Amino acid sequence: AALAPRPPAIAAPVTPAQEAAAAAGALEPTAADTELVQRAFAALETNPAQPGAREVLEQAEDAFTRAIARFEGPLRGTAGDRVQLRLGRAQARININDITGGKMPEKAEAAVVDFNEVIRIMEADMSSARGTFDYPSVFVRRALAKEEIAYGRRDKTQWAGAVADYTRAINLWRDGMRDSPGNPGLGVNPMVLNF
């Protein structure tokens, strides 16, 4: 399903909850915001072999960018919302680079920027990441993006950055994410042991 340009949405009447949020300095997401985010995430399921897949993913990247501007701006979205939107945009960018056979490393570089911001958001409130695979997994995803940059740019320094991210993830899974000294940690995700 292509993310075709849509005409501007007609503003719905403001609800009491939206008025309260606006008075507090934040707005509530509109139906148009919700639809934009849903369509962007749905586009990530596009079969890369499908004709027009690159265009669908480029539209998804644009939709994520618009949603991020809203959720990091007037909507003042939760940290979880902002993390998921940035992860979605990063994945769209990685998929675009993959479809081109690695010929768009600038997309992987832009994904690394998103992963950096996700890590910053998560580190601002580690209580939400503690005891989950989410935080270490971002390091794995950033490492994979760095591998794509290394391949596309023929930049060997990116390999070292990828190894550092994989190592960080392994250390976090093994012992860095323990809630207490007696907890053995989450264990290493076996998918990362291929580097």
Side-chain angles (χ1 to χ4, degrees), residues 139-156:
F139 287 95
V140 173
R141 292 178 72 182
R142 186 172 72 177
L144 290 168
K146 288 177 180 180
E147 285 187 34
E148 291 197 16
I149 298 166
Y151 171 79
R153 298 267 189 233
R154 307 290 186 244
D155 179 355
K156 293 180 182 180

Side-chain angles (χ1 to χ4, degrees), residues 8 23 31 60 79 87 89 106 115 124 146 156 174 177 195:
L87 289 173
R89 182 170 69 179
E106 65 275 7
F115 291 132
K146 288 177 180 180
K156 293 180 182 180
R174 185 178 51 226
M177 295 297 289
F195 80 92

Side-chain angles (χ1 to χ4, degrees), residues 8-128:
I10 298 173
V14 177
T15 66
Q18 288 172 320
E19 284 180 8
L27 302 175
E28 289 290 315
T30 64
D33 292 322
T34 303
E35 181 184 354
L36 178 69
V37 170
Q38 289 172 340
R39 289 187 309 128
F41 277 108
L44 292 179
E45 301 300 320
T46 300
N47 179 345
Q50 164 189 318
R54 179 175 165 187
E55 291 78 21
V56 170
L57 289 166
E58 287 171 342
Q59 290 175 3
E61 178 187 14
D62 178 66
F64 279 119
T65 298
R66 288 183 283 140
I68 288 166
R70 295 272 300 146
F71 280 80
E72 290 183 355
L75 297 179
R76 295 188 186 169
T78 67
D81 290 341
R82 296 187 335 265
V83 160
Q84 292 306 312
L85 290 170
R86 289 226 176 232
L87 289 173
R89 182 170 69 179
Q91 190 60 54
R93 290 169 165 174
I94 293 295
N95 291 357
I96 293 166
N97 185 47
D98 290 347
I99 285 174
T100 65
K103 294 184 181 3
M104 296 185 73
E106 65 275 7
K107 292 295 185 181
E109 290 167 338
V112 167
V113 171
D114 278 331
F115 291 132
N116 292 343
E117 181 62 12
V118 166
I119 290 167
R120 188 197 66 73
I121 292 168
M122 291 177 122
E123 287 176 346
D125 179 18
M126 286 302 294
S127 65
S128 64

Side-chain angles (χ1 to χ4, degrees), residues 125-140:
D125 179 18
M126 286 302 294
S127 65
S128 64
R130 187 156 310 285
T132 73
F133 279 98
D134 295 342
Y135 179 64
S137 292
V138 177
F139 287 95
V140 173

